[in-house]
Amino acid sequence: MSAAGMRCPACGSTNIVDDDLYSQAQLVCVDCGSVVSEGVLANDPVGGSDVSFSRTTAVAKRPCANLIKGQQRVKAICRILMVNREIEDLSHTCRQLNWPITVGTISCLLDADSMVVGAIYQEMVKNLSIEAPIINVTDVIGAHCHEYKISSLDVPEELAENSRELTKRAVALVELAADSWIVTGRKPIPIMMAATYLAWQSLKPNKHRLKFSLDKFCQVAKVKKLKSAMTRVAEIKEVLCKLGKEIPWVRETVTPDNVIQLVECILQNRYALLRRAMRTHEDALLEESQASCAEAPPESSSQISECADQTPITSFVKQNGSNSDGKEKPGDVDYNPRVLPEHSGTQESQNPPQNWGKRVLFAPPCVIHAKKRRAEQPEHTDVTGDEEISDSEIDSYIRTPQEARDFALMQQMLSLSDSAKS
């Protein structure tokens, strides 16, 4: 049916087009949307319109050519790398659902050194001019949680967990770990594994889940356990205990064994609990410094003020919690555990105390577990290497005291034998 020379009876427009609706065609006015003329099945071709009935009523849509080509490429890569069937199926799933894959995950799947894989990745990005997309941490953790086989189809009902809820709780735990400096300088996969394990336990803290160790959880979920993941679990539990102790309605002692039952409450109020924990720790340091000053009273008022300000945390609170006129600000101070105390230009800042990270509530791991640095040896500018060395000095260098005694005894025996011969 042609639309040439036709006019819309409603608005008088000549902008009329053919509109295929299932197996019957009709003429529709573009300007007002009125149906100008409906097609008749007797006037249409035997084959019907261009839109076939099978295409419009198909339940399972046929994948497009690009999707088929991408699946073939993923399959070829998996065959080249000689990975098992499960990894190949997971690769197809990640591609279809647009899940991000980290370099650490690829290194774990290939059982290769992550440093080597990272160097190759950087070289590929540079040589091929590839722009890597910016991935949200929620997507990364979500893709990581999908690797765990803990759905109702894989494990019993008391151990099964929804992937969406698991991802949401794991993201909250990782954010808490970031606020308490645990993430700083650490590899991401062990932290995500620790967060996933604790999230799985805390969503339904029943007796079946609480008795599961990380090793057993990884065996049930069919994932490979990483050695440092257990350390990350202990560190996150330590932070949870520090915050759980600040919950007003909790009367029992919070320990790593029972803190899992408080995870939901801690995450819902984590910002308020962080402020309370920081304040409690600072008050404890202030009381400790005042007690030490009381045991050894200073001689003057200036020394009293110095004794009150001897901790870096106290000076940091005074700088951030008071106005320029010296009066305290009304309300609570917004404590931020990510902000470290700044050292002033005094002699204490020039010679800071060793391992100051143990004096604050939250600090980077490299500060808490600081490595011992080699003491720098002073350079002797008056030594040029051309000085003359006497024989006695050479003897003292190459002989131990025992060697010197043996040498003197030998010299005495030789002199006695020479005198006997004469």
Side-chain angles (χ1 to χ4, degrees):
M1 184 180 296
S2 176
M6 297 189 66
R7 187 178 296 274
C8 177
C11 65
S13 175
T14 58
N15 190 8
I16 299 174
V17 296
D18 292 325
D19 186 17
D20 290 335
L21 179 62
Y22 294 102
S23 60
Q24 185 177 2
Q26 61 186 8
L27 299 178
V28 179
C29 178
V30 177
D31 296 332
C32 66
S34 300
V35 178
V36 179
S37 175
E38 294 183 357
V40 182
L41 291 177
N43 297 332
D44 289 340
V46 179
S49 62
D50 296 335
V51 182
S52 63
F53 178 80
S54 61
R55 290 174 57 190
T56 57
T57 58
V59 178
K61 301 297 182 181
R62 190 179 177 187
C64 63
N66 291 334
L67 182 58
I68 296 175
K69 185 178 180 180
Q71 291 177 349
Q72 292 176 353
R73 292 184 61 186
V74 171
K75 183 177 180 180
I77 293 174
C78 292
R79 297 297 171 82
I80 293 173
L81 298 177
M82 294 184 295
V83 297
N84 55 31
R85 184 70 179 180
E86 183 180 357
I87 296 178
E88 182 178 341
D89 296 339
L90 182 61
S91 302
H92 289 293
T93 306
C94 293
R95 185 187 184 280
Q96 294 174 10
L97 298 180
N98 197 23
W99 289 348
I101 302 296
T102 62
V103 176
T105 303
I106 297 175
S107 305
C108 181
L109 293 176
L110 299 179
D111 196 14
D113 188 1
S114 58
M115 299 295 293
V116 177
V117 176
I120 296 175
Y121 170 76
Q122 295 291 341
E123 186 177 356
M124 289 175 59
V125 170
K126 181 179 179 181
N127 295 338
L128 301 178
S129 300
I130 300 175
E131 293 184 2
I134 300 175
I135 303 299
N136 190 6
V137 65
T138 305
D139 299 333
V140 177
I141 298 177
H144 180 77
C145 291
H146 277 86
E147 298 178 4
Y148 294 80
K149 306 297 182 182
I150 52 175
S151 64
S152 57
L153 301 176
D154 302 315
V155 295
E157 188 63 29
E158 62 271 10
L159 303 179
E161 194 56 59
N162 184 12
S163 179
R164 182 176 300 178
E165 297 296 330
L166 185 67
T167 301
K168 183 179 178 180
R169 180 62 58 85
V171 169
L173 287 171
V174 171
E175 291 177 351
L176 178 62
D179 290 339
S180 54
W181 294 94
I182 297 177
V183 177
T184 306
R186 299 290 180 73
K187 295 182 179 180
I189 296 183
I191 295 177
M192 290 190 294
M193 178 175 288
T196 304
Y197 166 66
L198 294 177
W200 174 78
Q201 280 191 325
S202 62
L203 284 172
K204 294 178 183 178
N206 51 37
K207 60 180 182 180
H208 301 285
R209 298 192 182 188
L210 292 178
K211 68 180 182 180
F212 264 61
S213 63
L214 180 61
D215 294 332
K216 193 172 181 180
F217 171 72
C218 292
Q219 292 176 3
V220 172
K222 296 181 175 60
V223 295
K224 182 179 179 182
K225 178 202 166 186
L226 301 179
K227 295 181 179 179
S228 56
M230 195 61 214
T231 306
R232 304 291 90 83
V233 170
E235 292 174 348
I236 296 177
K237 278 188 174 183
E238 182 180 358
V239 173
L240 291 173
C241 289
K242 292 179 180 179
L243 300 185
K245 295 176 182 178
E246 301 299 328
I247 300 177
W249 54 87
V250 175
R251 301 302 180 186
E252 60 180 351
T253 304
V254 180
T255 62
D257 297 330
N258 60 9
V259 74
I260 299 298
Q261 301 175 356
L262 304 175
V263 169
E264 183 176 1
C265 182
I266 292 173
L267 294 179
Q268 289 178 354
N269 307 278
R270 75 171 184 264
Y271 296 112
L273 294 177
L274 281 170
R275 289 193 294 267
R276 289 175 61 94
M278 293 287 290
R279 177 178 297 175
T280 302
H281 183 71
E282 290 158 4
D283 292 343
L285 288 178
L286 185 59
E287 292 178 0
E288 182 181 353
S289 63
Q290 291 176 352
S292 62
C293 291
E295 293 177 359
E299 298 178 356
S300 62
S301 60
S302 61
Q303 294 180 355
I304 295 177
S305 61
E306 292 178 359
C307 186
D309 296 337
Q310 67 182 0
T311 60
I313 293 296
T314 307
S315 61
F316 174 66
V317 173
K318 288 187 176 182
Q319 292 175 5
N320 292 273
S322 60
N323 294 323
S324 58
D325 55 357
K327 298 180 180 180
E328 294 184 356
K329 295 181 180 179
D332 295 338
V333 180
D334 189 11
Y335 296 103
N336 188 358
R338 299 286 295 174
V339 179
L340 297 179
E342 297 180 357
H343 298 283
S344 60
T346 59
Q347 183 178 2
E348 181 183 357
S349 63
Q350 297 175 0
N351 297 318
Q354 295 293 331
N355 205 352
W356 58 267
K358 294 184 178 180
R359 303 172 61 183
V360 299
L361 187 62
F362 302 109
C366 61
V367 177
I368 299 176
H369 307 287
K371 296 181 179 180
K372 294 182 179 180
R373 297 182 179 181
R374 294 183 179 180
E376 296 182 358
Q377 300 294 335
E379 297 182 358
H380 300 283
T381 56
D382 55 342
V383 178
T384 61
D386 297 331
E387 291 81 9
E388 295 183 357
I389 302 176
S390 61
D391 295 339
S392 59
E393 188 175 359
I394 294 177
D395 293 341
S396 64
Y397 286 153
I398 63 176
R399 292 176 183 171
T400 63
Q402 181 64 33
E403 291 175 344
R405 289 192 294 269
D406 295 341
F407 180 77
L409 181 60
M410 182 61 65
Q411 291 289 343
Q412 184 179 4
M413 293 175 62
L414 291 176
S415 61
L416 292 175
S417 65
D418 292 340
S419 60
K421 290 181 181 179
S422 61

